[in-house]
Amino acid sequence: MILKLLKIALEKDIIISSIKVAIVVGCILNIINQGDLLYHLNFEKVNWLKLGLCFVVPYSVSTYASVKVKTRRN
């Protein structure tokens, strides 16, 4: 079962869609969370873990939703 879900999650169309969502949502979240630091190019104070998670979380949620929809159709 897990291998079937992983195979679906690694399909090209799901990956591309999830990357698009992650880029848009991740940028918005980073602007909200750390926009002042990024705007002033104050990279020493940027929380890089938070910055990365702002992209990983939307990617994961989008992938999960896509896999769930695809498994319900079958």
Side-chain angles (χ1 to χ4, degrees):
M1 178 68 170
I2 292 176
L3 289 177
K4 178 184 174 189
L5 296 175
L6 185 59
K7 184 178 179 182
I8 295 170
L10 293 175
E11 290 179 5
K12 185 178 179 180
D13 59 329
I14 290 179
I15 291 173
I16 291 171
S17 174
S18 295
I19 287 173
K20 289 177 183 178
V21 169
I23 289 171
V24 172
V25 176
C27 287
I28 293 169
L29 289 174
N30 275 303
I31 290 169
I32 292 168
N33 291 326
Q34 305 185 90
D36 56 332
L37 298 174
L38 297 170
Y39 178 76
H40 294 295
L41 303 176
N42 193 355
F43 297 120
E44 295 138 7
K45 293 187 180 181
V46 169
N47 185 331
W48 294 100
L49 178 62
K50 188 186 291 187
L51 187 136
L53 286 173
C54 285
F55 290 99
V56 171
V57 171
Y59 178 86
S60 301
V61 172
S62 179
T63 300
Y64 171 79
S66 297
V67 169
K68 188 172 181 180
V69 166
K70 201 156 195 175
T71 55
R72 285 194 176 176
R73 286 185 186 164
N74 295 335

